[in-house]
Every structure is written in C-alpha cells, then in structure tokens.
C-alpha cells in the first residue's frame, strides 16, 4: 500500500511503503487504523479498544531502546518547503509575543521559575536533520536546532524517575510523552528551523522535536511543561490515537 | 460627621488605597498573554488563552486526523476539561 498526500509537492514527500507501514503498524495503534471506518460507539467495544491501546503503549515502552538513534540525513535531503500541518489553517497560527513569553514549569520539578526566551536561547544548542513522520501517511525531512531536552530537565531539577512529561501549547493543543523518550538523546526543545528562529507556522516560540515518535507527539508553540506521575494523555490520544506512538 | 464615622471612613480609604495598585497593575499590564499563563497553586500550570484570535471555532478541522464532526473549537473545549482534571490530580500528587 502506498499512501500519498496530493496537496503536497510531488516527489518531495516520502512514500510510506507497505513494509514500512506494517513495521510501524504497532505504533499507529488500532484506533488510528480504524479512523476512516465505521466504529461502533458501543461502550464495551470502546473499552476493549482502549485496553488494547494501553497494552500497545506498554509493549512499545518495553521495546523502546533509549540508545537507538533515529536516522539522520544530509542537508541535501531536507524537504523544501517543509509542510505546514495543524488542526487549523496557516493563517490561524497562534501569535506569541517574544518579549512577554515565559515558559512555565509545573509538577514534579524542583525549580519552577519561568524561563524567558533569552534564557532559553542561551542554553547549549545542537542541530539535527531527521524525518518527521505523520500518522496521516506522509513524512518530510527537516533541520531543527535547540537544546537537548534531557539537559533541560536536569537543569530545572525535574524528577527523572517520574512517568510522564506533559506539554501545553498556545494553540490549546496538549500532549504528553513517557520520561524515557523525554530523556532520549535526540529529543530536543527546538528554537530554530533551518538555522532561523522558528517561524510561527513551525511552532514559535518553541517546539518539542522527538524523531522517535509520530508527528502529533511533537507539540508546537509550547507554553508550559510539567512532570507528573498522573497520566496526562493528549488531545489526539484522548480521541483514540495511540499514546506512545513510537517509530 | 461623628468621630466613629470618620474613623470608619479613614479605614475604608486605607483599604481602597491598598487595593487600587493591584487593580492598576492588572489593567496596565500589556502582558495579557503572560498573565494568562502562570503557575497555579501547588506547582500546577494554568492554560494559556487567546493567542489565536482569528481561529474560527465552528469550522471543521483541515487535517486527516480529524474524525467526522470535529471542529477547531473541540481542542479548546478538551483542553479546558483536561486542565480541570489534571490540576486537581497534580495538586494531590504534590502533597
């Protein structure tokens, strides 16, 4: 099976071939695969599907290798233009004023002092050229720069033994990831795209770049980060998409 | 004016003088967005609001992830429900 998006430039979007699709099928989650079908609203069926999805999360958690890196690519492989993708149009992206922006911290974090953009930009930064894979069936390669999320969590005294890290975004989007993935060496708080300050359409002032997970686990326009042992879910996850969503 | 009444007026004036600066600070702050995003009690986080003034809440979502009937406003509604759930649970967690 080949899945294409017709509204994106031909030849610039990677085809998700069948074997790759099946290989990643565990990550897609049963409910995502059923997204285009008639799914009964029967309570017991929903309960079964939710239990299966939770089992799916646990299985992926066991299989996750914190030392295995996502593939990286040369500059020449970068998709141009990198696609815009959100639950709204490009003319509706949130506008966050840089001078008044404060990254709020909450939950199991020792130092919850808010961060200004200047303070964030002063952190050590690294770059990565990795593939963004969308559950819709397309992918694109991009370059992001920012601070390793692990180092940020250590710096603020986050409880690294906690289970979850949650994100709250300026577009009201919210999601969460497991702590092991948060600590993965390629998980990054990104401030730049393509060596330029992150444009609004790509998530200004900050996004989480996590190339070991599907695209909807890469929140943009992050306003707050919290650490907790209480399952936070996420917008799409609460609609039935798989929470772990590993690649 | 009786002495008792004058005393009451003085107390009221002092109270009003104390409250007024707080009101002025809230109104004068051009920092609406930051004011709407502050850590709540117990280290929980208050959701940010109103960064997308142009968002049409009733329109369907232009994404393949959306299920039939979903609108852009659903995300905000869900976020508000989630905020209420999480704040309470996280306050308990941090006791």
């Amino acid at each position: 099976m080949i899945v294409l998006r017709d509204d994106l430039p031909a030849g610039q979007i990677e085809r998700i071939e069948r074997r790759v699709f099946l290989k990643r099928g565990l990550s897609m989650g049963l409910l995502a695969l059923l997204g285009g079908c008639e799914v009964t609203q029967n309570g017991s069926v929903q309960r079964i599907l939710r239990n299966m999805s939770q089992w799916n999360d646990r299985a992926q958690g066991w299989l996750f290798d914190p030392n295995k890196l996502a593939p990286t690519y040369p500059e020449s492989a970068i998709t141009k233009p990198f696609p815009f993708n959100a639950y709204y149009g490009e003319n509706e992206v949130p506008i966050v004023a840089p001078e008044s922006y404060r990254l709020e911290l909450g939950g199991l974090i020792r130092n919850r002092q808010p961060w200004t953009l200047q303070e964030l930009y002063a952190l050590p930064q690294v770059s990565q050229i990795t593939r963004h894979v969308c559950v819709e069936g397309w992918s694109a390669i991009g370059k992001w720069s920012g601070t390793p999320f692990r180092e940020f969590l250590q710096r603020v005294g986050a409880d690294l033994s906690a289970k979850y890290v949650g994100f709250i975004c300026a577009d009201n989007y919210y999601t969460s990831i497991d702590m092991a993935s948060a600590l993965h060496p390629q998980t990054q708080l990104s401030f730049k795209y393509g060596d330029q300050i992150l444009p609004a359409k790509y998530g200004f002032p900050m996004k989480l770049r996590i190339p070991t997970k599907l695209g909807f686990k890469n929140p943009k326009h992050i306003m707050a980060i919290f650490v907790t042992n209480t399952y936070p879910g996420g917008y799409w996850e609460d609609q039935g998409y798989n929470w772990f969503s590993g690649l | 004016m009786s002495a008792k009444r004058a005393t009451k007026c003085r107390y009221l004036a002092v109270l009003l003088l104390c409250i007024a600066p707080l009101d002025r600070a809230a109104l004068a702050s051009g920092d609406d967005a930051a004011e709407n995003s502050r850590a709540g009690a117990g280290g929980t986080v208050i959701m940010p609001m109103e960064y997308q003034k142009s968002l049409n809440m009733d329109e369907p979502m232009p994404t393949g992830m959306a299920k039939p009937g979903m609108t852009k406003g659903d995300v905000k509604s869900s976020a508000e429900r989630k905020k209420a759930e999480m704040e309470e649970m996280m306050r308990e967690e941090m006791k």
Side-chain angles (χ1 to χ4, degrees), chain A residues 162-244:
Chain A
K163 291 181 183 175
Y164 309 107
V165 184
F167 303 89
I168 299 173
C169 307
D171 55 0
N172 286 298
Y173 186 68
Y174 59 98
T175 188
S176 60
I177 59 175
D178 55 299
M179 183 58 79
S181 296
L183 299 177
H184 186 274
Q186 287 175 307
T187 302
Q188 180 191 100
L189 279 180
S190 300
F191 311 125
K192 291 182 178 176
Y193 179 78
D195 300 317
Q196 305 295 319
I197 293 294
L198 209 57
K201 67 177 181 177
Y202 293 156
F204 182 85
M206 187 170 73
K207 72 168 282 170
L208 185 80
R209 176 72 192 119
I210 181 165
T212 55
K213 289 193 185 293
L214 287 169
F216 71 91
K217 307 296 291 190
N218 290 243
K220 297 178 286 192
H221 319 287
I222 297 173
M223 303 301 292
I225 298 173
F226 60 95
V227 174
T228 180
N229 285 313
T230 303
Y231 175 69
Y235 177 72
W236 289 118
E237 298 88 329
D238 294 348
Q239 308 308 313
Y241 285 86
N242 178 250
W243 175 75
F244 194 93

Side-chain angles (χ1 to χ4, degrees), chain A residues 36-51:
Chain A
C37 307
E38 281 285 326
V39 179
T40 177
Q41 293 303 305
N42 182 286
S44 56
V45 172
Q46 290 295 319
R47 209 166 28 253
I48 291 169
L49 291 175
R50 239 189 327 271
N51 289 340

Side-chain angles (χ1 to χ4, degrees), chain A residues 115-192:
Chain A
W115 286 64
T116 65
L117 268 184
Q118 268 186 319
E119 290 167 337
L120 290 165
Y121 289 169
L123 293 169
Q125 296 194 28
V126 295
S127 296
Q128 62 173 251
I129 302 175
T130 48
R131 185 186 295 280
H132 172 106
V133 180
C134 182
V135 73
E136 295 173 355
W138 58 270
S139 71
I141 295 171
K143 182 178 182 181
W144 291 270
S145 304
T147 197
F149 194 39
R150 179 190 186 104
E151 292 180 20
F152 179 78
L153 289 175
Q154 288 172 328
R155 195 178 281 259
V156 299
D159 179 358
L160 302 185
S161 68
K163 291 181 183 175
Y164 309 107
V165 184
F167 303 89
I168 299 173
C169 307
D171 55 0
N172 286 298
Y173 186 68
Y174 59 98
T175 188
S176 60
I177 59 175
D178 55 299
M179 183 58 79
S181 296
L183 299 177
H184 186 274
Q186 287 175 307
T187 302
Q188 180 191 100
L189 279 180
S190 300
F191 311 125
K192 291 182 178 176

